[in-house]
Each structure stands twice: as C-alpha cells, then as structure tokens.
Amino acid sequence: MIVEQMMNKNVLTFLPSNTIKEAITLLRENKIRHIPIVNEQGKVVGVVTDRDIKEATPSNLTDGQNHELLETPLEEIMTKNPVIGHPLDFVEEVATIFYDQQIGCLPIISGGKLVGIVTETDLLYKYIELTGAHQPGSQIEVRVPNKAGILFEVSKVFHDHHANVLSVLVYPDLQHESNKILVFRVHTMNPLEIIEDIRKEGFDVLWPNMPGMTT
Amino acid sequence: MAKHAGNDNIKKHAVYVYSEDQLGYKFSDTHPFNQKRLTLTTDLLRKMNALSDGDIVPPRIATDEELYLAHDARYIDMVKKASKGLVTASQTESFGIGTDDTPIFPNMHEASARLVGGTLTAVEYVMENKASHALNLGGGLHHGFRGRASGFCVYNDSSVAIKYIQDKYNARVLYIDTDAHHGDGVQWSFYEDPNVCTISIHETGRYLFPGTGNVSERGSGQGYGTSFNLPIDAFTEDDSFLELYTTAFREIAAFFKPDVIISQNGADAHYFDPLTHLYGTMKIYKEIPKLAHQLAHEFCDGKWIAVGGGGYDIWRVVPRAWSLLWMEMNDMELPQDSLPSEWLEQWEKESPVPLIPTWMDPDNLYEAIPRKAEITEKNKQVLDKALYSIRNN
C-alpha cells in the first residue's frame, strides 16, 4: 500500500505568523495534535504539535494567564524543516521513518505543495486493518516448518473449505528457529473442520485445543 | 404452576412463541446451527408440566416493510432470489450467503422472516400489555448485518424488533447479550443511537468469531456511551462470568433507565459447547435469566422480551439452559434434581453423547484451570474499564 491511499487529505494548516492562542483553539476544536505550518506560497516550512505548545506555555498550575506569551507567532516555536513524505511512499517505509525519527506526523508533499498528512494514529489503525481485526472472523494460528511452499499447503485447506481468508500474517517462532507461525483471520464462525483438516495435513494448530475435540 | 387459561382478554404472565415452522431455518444436516434445539427444549418443558398449550403463541412472518427497518432492500431481494434458487452462490457471496457459514437453503427468506416475525410477536405481546414477558427461542440472530448475512444469521430479529419498538411504542430499549460471541450486528445497528443501550458479554476475539467487541467500542456520535462490551478470556468460569454480568447489567440498567429489556440468551458459553472456549456450567444459565427478570420488574414494569441465540451442544446444554429461562420467566421454582425420565429415555437413543440426567452439572465437569486467578483478575479489569464512563458521571 502507498501513502496516497491512506493519507488524510483535508489538512488544517497555519501560517508562520499565526499565534499560539490560535493554534490552541484549532487543536482543541478539531481534536488534532499536529499543525503543518505553510508559507504564502503553500510550501511547508514547519510543524507545530500539541507538545511544542505545552513546552512554550506556562503550567496551568501557575496563577493567571500570560496573554503576551499566547500572542507569540508559531514560527518561533515550530520545528523547522520537518521530515516529509511523498504520496508514492510505501506505508511500510513510512512506518520505519516514524519509528526511527520518533515523530508523530508526516506532512506529505507533492509538486512543492502540501497534499496530505499521515499521523502515528492513522498508521496504527492501518496496521489493525492489515490484521483484519476490524471485520468479523475467526483467528487460527498454525506452527509450520520454515521452508518454501508451506503457505500453499496450509492455504489449500481454506480453499477446500471455500473459506474466505481476511488476512495472513507470518512471523518467526521465538521458541523454535526452524519454525514459523502463520496467523490467519478467516471469515467463518465455525473453524472446527478447517482446524481438523490442517491438523490432518500434519501441522500444529496452536492453542486453544477445542474442548471435547480429539486432536 | 397453574397460569391463566388461554383467554386472550386476561393479561398473561408470559407467552412462549413457538411453532414447528421455526424448524424450517435449517442450513443442512451437518451444520452446527440446529433448530432441533427448539423441539428438545419444548418437549422437556412439556414433560416438566411447565408449558401448556395456552402458553404457546405461533410466530408471524415479518413483512418486507418490517425487515426494511434494519436491512437493505437489495440484500432482502438477493435472499429472496437465493431462496427460490434463482441465483448462484458466486452472485450471493458478497451478501454473506452461499458461504460455508450461511449456505443457501430452500425458502430461506420465509424461514428467516419467520424468526424475525416471532420476535415481533413477542414484542407485541409485551408492549401491548397482553403479557408481562415473552420468549422467542427461535430468535437471537445477533450477527445479521444491514446488508449482509454473517455467522449463521440471515436477518437480525433483535435489530428489527428494537427499531419496531422505537417506531411504534417510542420506548427506550436495553439489549443484553450473553451469547459467547460478540453481539456485533445489534451493536452496529444502534451504535449512534442514544436511546438504545447494548451490552454484550462474550469471549474475546483472540480465538473466537467475530473478533470485535472490545471494551473501547462504546458507541459514536450521539450514541457514545450507550454501547458496552465485556470481552472475557477463554477458560472463564462461572463465578467470574457472573461477577461481570451481574455488576455490569445492574449498574448499566440503573444508569440507562430502560422502558423495556430484550435479552439474547445464546447458550454457547458452556464448557461443552464445541465452538467456544468458555468454561461456564448450568449455574450461569440459572442466574442469567434471574437477574434479567428482576431488573425488568425494577425498571420496566416487568417488560421483558427474551430471545434465543447460539448454542451448539443441542443435547446436553441448550434444552436445560432454555428450560431454566422459561421457568424463571414464570416464577416457577427452579428444579435442582433430575430431568424427567420420559425425556431422557426418549432422546438418549438419538443423542450422540450421553445426556446429563440432572438440572445442574455434576461437580468436576472439567479439570481445574491453572491460570484461574489471572483470568479472574483480567476479567475484573475489563469490567472496571467498561463501566468507567458511567461510574465517573
């Protein structure tokens, strides 16, 4: 998947001359945490986050409001030259950037203009979608030998049962390096026959063992 | 146990919506959803002298207009066509029918509309003060979506019934779902509606369909705070189940103040159930209806509609569980000892497993669960999270 397919295209932006006070209102009213700062030409020159604002304003435990401080232009507190992304970037690649750079949002730039934004939260939700967990289904985990062609052998069972697979994840078995764990989400309420047939093929279906079912 | 004779002018205590036509909702001989449960339960109640002809009312068939309350016209048309064999499975698959879970069978539309009609019949008896309580064991198909069948459910009788109650009687509905699977179809139908409150207690999605029903699903927009989910761990036993059910149901009823309670009584949280991994025994099926009954009197002038639901051990679990529900509904003293020997003799020949001859399960039904304390602790945390929003108001 590429960024263009998941980015938020309705981005709320401010000019460098907008104030902290305005930013506080915008964040609060729209329940957002990041504001790209764009100059008159539409070029992204910075990012202001809710954390930048917290750092720049006095604690709400101190008395009174410092009105002068709230009128500070955003260009004084923004992160300049932020890390940016492109609509054609791979989502996997972008996830790595978030992790490595420890950032919370990525402005997406094309033709020198801001065209979208991706946040940590968007990315996390996209990964939830990739696991298929938002659709009704049953989860089946299978321990298999780590060699070529195994996925085909297991998925053949789903084919035989005419079962619609919502997602497949493959991850290493931490206990046995010679194995892998396959996690399937299948669109069925009754996975018993599928589980039985995967076992018949000689694979290990992980916990739980069905009560009352011989294995 | 004597109740009013079949005189419609006198308000009945409770009605039992049933006819043999309800057995027409049948996917195949090997499908786990098997309405023979209804025959077994009805026969058990009759042999207990707990059910008489005067208690039984036949279900009606829901009209298309009624189905439109909770389903898309395109979907209903497709079910009708499939019902008559006019379309192939490849054409219907995107509607969730013609799959392994919900195969097409002859007269599928009529059979499904009759299960909905049964719940509407139950609603009419209660909302028009012809009975205090009503039971439709043929209903409880909580997975049905607006435009798609799911998890053995074609039409969603509870969703249609709740809309019908809102339109016709303008009442606030509390829906409580104790099926081991998340009551997703009903939840999503009313996710944005502040006048319908849904509660579902179910096994977590870790190993069980449908995978939704997290504590964080609380409703949205106007309806935020009126959806409650209690996902409990696999291997949860009676006491932890009942702690969550009792506390949540009581506190939520007091918070929401419903006009009527609809309870979905899936009987698949039992240790014997082949599809799920919860470790309930008959004890929960004795307690679940007791509290629903009590709260209906406390908050709703007795108005309580109960429907069936899942339940895939149709021999050892469902008939006993659902009989206890009907007996509770009728204020009968719940039996403790043996099942009627005539019933056991009649069905033991057909049953593939030895029947349980007593109302409660024998002790030591299963081996002790090693991580019981942790499971109980985790479930308790789920309870506190689920009720957080109403405890801090």
Side-chain angles (χ1 to χ4, degrees):
Chain A
M1 181 177 289
I2 56 174
V3 163
E4 158 176 275
Q5 292 167 301
M6 67 162 291
M7 68 188 186
N8 180 0
K9 293 180 181 129
N10 301 315
V11 195
L12 299 170
T13 63
F14 265 154
L15 292 165
S17 55
N18 282 98
T19 62
I20 291 186
K21 194 177 170 186
E22 288 170 314
I24 291 174
T25 313
L26 189 78
L27 293 174
R28 223 176 254 161
E29 283 180 357
N30 296 285
K31 289 185 180 158
I32 54 172
R33 290 182 298 155
H34 311 92
I35 310 171
I37 306 301
V38 175
N39 68 13
E40 306 279 2
Q41 292 76 45
K43 184 176 184 300
V44 175
V45 293
V47 166
V48 167
T49 69
D50 56 346
R51 203 163 93 186
D52 296 329
I53 287 174
K54 276 177 201 149
E55 282 173 8
T57 51
S59 158
N60 51 16
L61 296 177
T62 56
D63 289 340
Q65 283 284 353
N66 192 332
H67 292 288
E68 223 168 273
L69 208 61
L70 292 177
E71 297 304 325
T72 311
L74 295 175
E75 63 187 327
E76 287 185 27
I77 65 160
M78 69 187 187
T79 302
K80 296 190 175 74
N81 302 316
V83 185
I84 56 166
H86 190 270
L88 298 182
D89 286 345
F90 288 117
V91 171
E92 290 85 343
E93 194 183 336
V94 164
T96 315
I97 295 174
F98 273 83
Y99 185 77
D100 288 344
Q101 308 279 334
Q102 299 186 1
I103 53 173
C105 83
L106 194 69
I108 306 301
I109 312 292
S110 179
K113 293 252 171 15
L114 180 73
V115 292
I117 190 168
V118 174
T119 67
E120 248 176 332
T121 320
D122 298 337
L123 210 54
L124 187 61
Y125 188 72
K126 200 39 77 182
Y127 271 83
I128 293 171
E129 280 189 348
L130 289 177
T131 66
H134 64 300
Q135 296 178 65
S138 293
Q139 184 159 311
I140 302 172
E141 301 192 359
V142 192
R143 178 180 285 134
V144 298
N146 184 9
K147 59 179 193 189
I150 296 291
L151 183 59
F152 171 78
E153 284 181 42
V154 179
S155 60
K156 197 174 153 296
V157 176
F158 295 107
H159 175 259
D160 293 345
H161 284 274
H162 201 70
N164 191 0
V165 175
L166 300 169
S167 78
V168 189
L169 295 175
V170 183
Y171 62 86
D173 182 350
L174 296 175
Q175 284 155 2
H176 312 274
E177 262 179 48
S178 55
N179 291 330
K180 271 187 178 164
I181 311 279
L182 305 179
V183 184
F184 294 90
R185 279 194 71 83
V186 196
H187 194 184
T188 179
M189 180 147 126
N190 177 22
L192 294 186
E193 288 174 18
I194 293 173
I195 289 175
E196 210 178 323
D197 283 356
I198 295 174
R199 285 187 168 140
K200 271 189 202 148
E201 293 287 322
F203 299 111
D204 192 6
V205 179
L206 300 182
W207 186 92
N209 286 312
M210 303 299 173
M213 200 177 122
T214 49
T215 55
Chain B
M1 280 181 208
K3 290 184 298 297
H4 308 300
N7 183 342
D8 278 350
N9 298 322
I10 301 171
K11 182 171 175 179
K12 287 166 183 285
H13 187 74
V15 291
Y16 187 90
V17 180
Y18 175 73
S19 81
E20 283 186 9
D21 296 332
Q22 287 179 317
L23 307 180
Y25 190 83
K26 183 176 179 178
F27 297 109
S28 73
D29 286 335
T30 54
H31 195 285
F33 190 95
N34 187 343
Q35 291 292 46
K36 190 178 184 96
R37 312 178 289 171
L38 301 180
T39 310
L40 295 170
T41 305
T42 305
D43 188 51
L44 179 55
L45 284 168
R46 282 191 181 277
K47 290 191 166 128
M48 283 294 290
N49 293 317
L51 180 69
S52 64
D53 290 340
D55 299 324
I56 299 177
V57 292
R60 62 183 181 85
I61 294 189
T63 64
D64 286 2
E65 283 66 33
E66 286 162 349
L67 295 175
Y68 294 151
L69 290 171
H71 293 287
D72 292 338
R74 272 184 66 220
Y75 169 54
I76 297 169
D77 281 348
M78 193 53 90
V79 176
K80 281 184 181 170
K81 281 184 188 151
S83 196
K84 299 212 159 27
L86 300 174
V87 281
T88 60
S90 63
Q91 289 168 279
T92 60
E93 234 172 76
S94 63
F95 293 93
I97 52 177
T99 57
D100 260 19
D101 270 8
T102 320
I104 294 168
F105 61 92
N107 299 318
M108 183 175 201
H109 169 76
E110 290 72 15
S112 308
R114 184 175 282 110
L115 297 189
V116 178
T119 302
L120 294 177
T121 301
V123 164
E124 285 159 352
Y125 264 85
V126 170
M127 297 309 290
E128 289 170 19
N129 288 313
K130 289 192 276 181
S132 291
H133 320 310
L135 175 62
N136 176 35
L137 291 172
L141 281 79
H142 61 170
H143 295 306
F145 280 72
R146 186 160 192 94
R148 187 163 47 87
S150 181
F152 315 161
C153 305
V154 180
Y155 299 139
N156 193 321
D157 57 295
S158 297
S159 288
V160 174
I162 294 170
K163 289 267 190 211
Y164 185 79
I165 290 174
Q166 291 189 297
D167 283 9
K168 201 165 169 191
Y169 309 106
N170 193 27
R172 284 164 73 78
V173 185
L174 176 60
Y175 170 86
I176 170 98
D177 184 321
T178 47
D179 192 287
H181 299 85
H182 175 221
D184 55 352
V186 182
Q187 173 179 299
W188 303 129
S189 292
F190 302 99
Y191 208 54
E192 296 181 8
D193 190 335
N195 297 313
V196 176
C197 180
T198 62
I199 312 173
S200 180
I201 178 168
H202 47 265
E203 182 184 329
T204 67
R206 183 76 179 92
Y207 287 100
L208 194 69
F209 183 92
T212 47
N214 291 316
V215 162
S216 58
E217 292 165 25
R218 296 179 188 274
S220 76
Q222 293 281 309
Y224 184 82
T226 55
S227 292
F228 293 89
N229 282 290
L230 300 157
I232 54 176
D233 251 36
F235 301 110
T236 294
E237 298 169 83
D238 290 344
D239 293 347
S240 179
F241 184 106
L242 289 173
E243 182 193 7
L244 268 71
Y245 169 74
T246 310
T247 313
F249 194 2
R250 209 162 242 306
E251 289 189 26
I252 294 166
F255 153 77
F256 184 72
K257 299 181 182 68
D259 298 319
V260 52
I261 291 174
I262 299 187
S263 68
Q264 195 270 16
N265 293 269
D268 50 359
H270 193 280
Y271 166 70
F272 282 142
D273 196 275
L275 290 190
T276 72
H277 321 101
L278 297 177
Y279 273 48
T281 75
M282 213 43 68
K283 188 178 166 193
I284 62 174
Y285 296 111
K286 196 176 129 192
E287 299 299 331
I288 287 169
K290 207 183 268 181
L291 183 61
H293 195 183
Q294 211 177 324
L295 293 178
H297 280 291
E298 230 171 276
F299 292 97
C300 311
D301 194 22
K303 288 189 177 60
W304 173 31
I305 296 143
V307 294
Y312 308 99
D313 189 321
I314 67 163
W315 299 97
R316 293 178 295 185
V317 178
V318 185
R320 288 189 297 158
W322 285 356
S323 293
L324 290 173
L325 166 60
W326 171 251
M327 288 190 267
E328 170 60 42
M329 201 173 244
N330 285 279
D331 299 313
M332 295 174 191
E333 202 178 317
L334 299 186
Q336 294 289 343
D337 43 1
S338 303
L339 267 59
S341 53
E342 305 96 292
W343 188 84
L344 292 167
E345 278 158 28
Q346 174 163 355
W347 299 108
E348 70 191 353
K349 288 163 276 182
E350 231 180 286
S351 171
V353 283
L355 296 172
I356 302 285
T358 49
W359 282 98
M360 290 297 117
D361 289 310
D363 291 338
N364 308 317
L365 192 63
Y366 51 82
E367 284 187 25
I369 306 296
R371 303 182 69 180
K372 180 175 183 158
E374 281 159 273
I375 291 170
T376 304
E377 181 187 55
K378 190 194 157 197
N379 289 341
K380 176 70 170 47
Q381 209 172 73
V382 164
L383 173 67
D384 292 337
K385 278 188 202 162
L387 298 181
Y388 178 80
S389 59
I390 59 172
R391 283 175 172 170
N392 282 274
N393 275 346

